[in-house]
Each structure stands twice: as C-alpha cells, then as structure tokens.
Amino acid sequence: MIKENVQKIFKEIPEDALLVAAVKSRSIKEIKEAVDAGVKIIGENYLQETEKLFPYIGHIVKWHYIGSIQKNKIKKIVEIFDMIETVDSVDVLRGIDRRAKGIGKIMPVLIEVNSGKEEQKSGVYPEQAGQLIDAAAPFKNVLIQGLMTMGPFVNDPEKLRPYFKLTKELFDCLKARETKNAQMKYLSMGMSDSYKIAIQEGANIVRIGTLIFGPRHDR
Ligand SMILES: *Cc1c(COP(=O)(O)O)cnc(C)c1O
C-alpha cells in the first residue's frame, strides 16, 4: 500500500515540487518501504526518533526537521538535518548559526509562519517574517530558503486556502526584496488533507504522513 500511495502522490504533484514524508511514530520497515517507492526527503518532528532511524536510512534521503525546536537540541538537529523548516525566532537562528559554524556547515532553514495568527501556535506572525529575516543578516552559517506554514486546525481543508494564499503573497513579497542571506526558493505548505489546495496556491514542498502510511496508531 505504501508504495502505491507514494506513487499516487508523485503523480498528483508537479515535477518540481518536493514531497516530504512525515514519518513521526512510523516503523523503520514502513519508512524503508516509502524510500524504496521513491521518497527522497524524510520529515521528522522528534530528534530522538531521528537518532534511532538515521543509522538504518542515513544519507540515501534528505532529512527535514519539522518539529518544534528546543534550544538544547539545536546542536544535534544541525548535525543531522539537511533543512530545518520550523525556525521562528532570532534566538533559534543564533543557536543554529553557532552550531553550524562549529562544524563548518551552512544550514538551510525555512521560517515558520503562523498564518492563522493563533496565540498558542508556533511561527512568526506574517508581518514579522521580514524583520526576522533581516535580523538573520549577521548569521553567516544560516541560509534562509523560504517559508513554511501549517495553518489553523479546520474541519474542512478548503478553509485553509486563504491562509495558504496569504503565505504565498508574503513569500513573493519577501522574494522580491532580495535580502542578503535569504534566497526565497521554497514554500512548504499542505499536509495529507490539504496538499492539493496548497499546490494550487503555490506550495513547492508538501509534508505528507497519513496519506502515505495510513492513520497513526500511536496516540
Ligand atoms: C505530522 C505532520 C505532517 C503530516 O501530517 P499528515 O496529516 O499525517 O499528512 C506535516 N507537517 C507537520 C509539521 C507534521 O507534524
């Protein structure tokens, strides 16, 4: 099933869009099946899980960090991951820069946007994204490559469209500014139930779990 699911998604997204397989709580066997089916990027929310998976999968795929970032985990996150999609503060940027410098790496990141402006959610408010990017100018070991958004929790994915639209507009606006250490290239939005809408609204990274692996049975 996993193989068919992956192939179906690849058929439905544009060729230049990236599929990130969101693998939280999945078994190594399931993940390997997805990789065998052509998945090139794994998205992980948890460092501990990643450290378990990495020895079995390693660099045959790229690793995107899509979870919330705890300060004491930044060192390891920078070491393992190829992109961090969930950056939302100067402090985190500074921590990433310091750790990346330590190992001679330029760390690609996306700025997470709280497009629904929900108080308890992670991400910067849309109007603060530009400021955060400007504040990253001194951080030579960080490369900002775009934006990521989740959007609010809604019962109908169609209701996410305005938030995807807003994030795309912000993306285009920031892209036009040509900031020094930012090259706005990726717009990561859309999950299992919303990726088609996200693609229509301009996403070029989609993060998909359930539609590849089936419903999660861990919680
Ligand atoms: C789990 C997760 C996804 C995938 O969600 P599905 O609904 O299972 O496709 C995407 N992005 C993030 C940040 C996630 O935590």
Side-chain angles (χ1 to χ4, degrees):
M1 262 326 263
I2 289 177
K3 186 175 175 196
E4 287 78 6
N5 295 344
V6 169
Q7 287 170 345
K8 186 156 176 284
I9 295 165
F10 273 130
K11 269 195 213 119
E12 278 165 6
I13 63 175
E15 250 176 68
D16 56 353
L18 304 180
L19 169 63
V20 172
V23 303
K24 53 179 177 280
S25 83
R26 308 299 178 172
S27 71
I28 288 165
K29 184 171 172 288
E30 289 174 298
I31 297 167
K32 280 198 161 158
E33 223 175 303
V35 173
D36 287 342
V39 161
K40 301 272 188 304
I41 307 171
I42 289 180
E44 252 293 3
N45 299 62
Y46 306 108
L47 179 62
Q48 246 187 320
E49 235 180 54
T50 312
E51 289 181 294
K52 264 187 236 154
L53 293 174
F54 194 85
Y56 294 92
I57 298 169
H59 292 294
I60 57 169
V61 295
K62 300 271 185 204
W63 296 78
H64 283 205
Y65 191 76
I66 59 173
S68 62
I69 303 170
Q70 289 160 280
K71 293 257 174 57
N72 60 345
K73 304 268 168 72
I74 289 178
K75 180 172 186 280
K76 282 270 173 65
I77 291 173
V78 166
E79 280 170 13
I80 295 180
F81 285 88
D82 300 288
M83 180 180 281
I84 305 173
E85 294 201 17
T86 45
V87 171
D88 65 357
S89 76
V90 180
D91 271 2
V92 166
L93 279 170
R94 185 182 297 113
I96 292 171
D97 182 60
R98 185 164 78 88
R99 296 309 190 172
K101 193 170 288 161
I103 57 171
K105 181 173 181 175
I106 307 284
M107 187 75 228
V109 307
L110 304 183
I111 302 299
E112 182 174 357
V113 178
N114 182 352
S115 53
K117 297 177 98 170
E118 298 168 286
E119 259 179 36
Q120 68 288 16
K121 274 254 178 86
S122 52
V124 292
Y125 282 7
E127 64 271 22
Q128 297 166 337
Q131 264 172 287
L132 182 57
I133 291 170
D134 292 343
F139 304 139
K140 301 284 183 277
N141 289 72
V142 172
L143 179 61
I144 297 171
Q145 290 202 304
L147 304 179
M148 179 272 216
T149 197
M150 301 274 287
F153 184 78
V154 290
N155 50 12
D156 171 9
E158 189 57 41
K159 289 187 181 151
L160 284 168
R161 193 184 291 279
Y163 301 99
F164 290 162
K165 253 192 213 313
L166 180 152
T167 310
K168 173 64 159 71
E169 277 167 21
L170 177 63
F171 177 79
D172 289 339
C173 172
L174 294 169
K175 191 174 180 167
R177 287 190 333 160
E178 289 276 1
T179 322
K180 244 190 277 165
N181 64 330
Q183 40 168 252
M184 303 305 277
K185 189 172 165 191
Y186 296 116
L187 181 56
S188 174
M189 48 188 202
M191 318 204 313
S192 289
D193 56 357
S194 59
Y195 77 98
K196 287 183 189 167
I197 294 168
I199 290 282
Q200 287 165 9
E201 297 304 330
N204 57 13
I205 298 182
V206 292
R207 311 175 310 272
I208 299 180
T210 310
L211 214 57
I212 295 176
F213 301 106
R216 279 158 62 216
H217 32 68
D218 60 322
R219 51 202 85 184

